[in-house]
Amino acid sequence: MTLSAQIPTTPRNRLLAALPPDSLARLWPKLERVEMPLRQVLHDVEVPIEHVYFPESGWCSMLSYTEDGDAMEVGLIGTEGVVGLPVVLADEFDDLEAIVQAPGDAFRLDAGALREAMDEDRDLRHLLLRYALVHHGQVARTGACNGRHHIEDRLARWLLMAHDRAEGDEFPMTHEFMSMMLGVRRAGVTVAARVLQKAQFIRYERGRLEVTDRPGLESASCECYGIQRRASDRLFGGNKVPYRR
């Protein structure tokens, strides 16, 4: 029996699924499937990172805090990635908080075990370092987008990113979180959401948001969404399988 034959299921996490079969088989016994409840903090600011997480469903926000306690989302990680990138980059601390914004489940791996696996497996190390670069691009693009584009464009972009990682067309969403995500006041978010809803691209009520017209929402987004999506597709060898399955 080959190593790859010992894996009982195909991971939904795109990084794990992109590994060569033998690389995944060596890592598999060390992975633990865990739940990711809403608002769970997967790693905190300047606290040693003990585990990394490969989401199988749901997604996490990377939050940057100011001294007065305000938070702003600077990155989003779902089934395309791994939470705990400082470990991949030979560190154990982060100045960002990783928090679950859409509940799901993940494969959890001890940080030390990941370091050992990366030392022993060139394919794993290469893939994770390439993903770190793609995620860095997402964070950089978010900064540029927030500084240059209108709220409606930015909201459309973020909703597309969330929709990519959601199980369906509907997912939980509040004005409070959208405000934090965009770095604007709730009044501005309310106006932007109304514009998208009036165009019939989304439906929003009682803390739930539904994407009703995906092509329309794409037309309302700035170019930042397409740039980041193409970067992610290149990571997986040009395979344009969507995040959502």
Side-chain angles (χ1 to χ4, degrees):
M1 179 181 295
T2 64
L3 281 175
S4 57
Q6 301 173 21
I7 302 173
T9 186
T10 300
R12 297 186 67 193
N13 181 277
R14 296 183 77 191
L15 281 178
L16 293 179
L19 285 171
D22 284 351
S23 294
L24 178 59
R26 285 190 290 270
L27 198 62
W28 193 260
K30 305 172 185 178
L31 297 171
E32 176 189 8
R33 186 181 287 272
V34 296
E35 296 296 317
M36 295 196 307
L38 181 66
R39 302 291 180 174
Q40 179 186 13
V41 175
L42 300 185
H43 67 69
D44 212 340
V45 177
E46 297 182 353
V47 174
I49 298 174
E50 297 181 354
H51 299 92
V52 299
Y53 296 79
F54 296 88
E56 289 276 284
S57 60
W59 69 80
C60 305
S61 290
M62 304 304 299
L63 302 182
S64 177
Y65 283 88
T66 59
E67 288 186 357
D68 58 8
D70 286 342
M72 183 174 180
E73 185 190 78
V74 296
L76 192 65
I77 300 175
T79 59
E80 84 293 346
V82 58
V83 180
L85 278 175
V87 177
V88 174
L89 300 173
D91 202 349
E92 60 176 335
F93 297 97
D94 202 344
D95 59 359
L96 304 176
E97 178 186 84
I99 187 171
V100 177
Q101 291 294 357
D105 64 313
F107 284 114
R108 185 172 70 181
L109 178 63
D110 179 80
L114 179 64
R115 294 188 189 96
E116 292 177 3
M118 289 180 65
D119 287 342
E120 297 169 358
D121 191 324
R122 177 184 176 184
D123 290 324
L124 173 65
R125 181 171 65 254
H126 179 70
L127 181 64
L128 293 182
L129 289 176
R130 287 188 64 204
Y131 169 70
L133 181 60
V134 170
H135 184 72
H136 169 75
Q138 182 198 127
V139 173
R141 178 61 53 178
T142 296
C145 185
N146 287 346
R148 291 293 182 180
H149 293 145
H150 296 297
I151 296 176
E152 293 87 349
D153 302 339
R154 291 158 51 196
L155 179 58
R157 172 197 177 231
W158 191 91
L159 292 177
L160 288 168
M161 294 173 64
H163 191 227
D164 284 341
R165 295 162 174 83
E167 293 290 294
D169 292 330
E170 184 177 327
F171 43 88
M173 186 58 55
T174 65
H175 277 80
E176 177 187 6
F177 177 61
M178 286 191 284
S179 173
M180 177 178 64
M181 175 269 298
L182 293 175
V184 298
R185 295 182 178 180
R186 290 183 60 176
V189 169
T190 299
V191 172
R194 284 176 180 168
V195 169
L196 297 178
Q197 183 158 258
K198 186 175 181 180
Q200 299 184 344
F201 299 155
I202 64 171
R203 181 180 297 114
Y204 176 72
E205 59 181 6
R206 297 179 181 177
R208 303 290 298 183
L209 188 144
E210 180 184 3
V211 175
T212 54
D213 183 351
R214 170 81 187 206
L217 193 60
E218 290 180 357
S219 71
S221 173
C222 54
E223 70 273 17
C224 298
Y225 171 76
I227 291 171
Q228 187 57 41
R229 182 62 190 265
R230 288 190 293 274
S232 183
D233 287 335
R234 287 196 301 272
L235 170 65
F236 298 103
N239 179 10
K240 296 184 180 181
V241 175
Y243 293 106
R244 302 171 64 231
R245 298 185 181 181

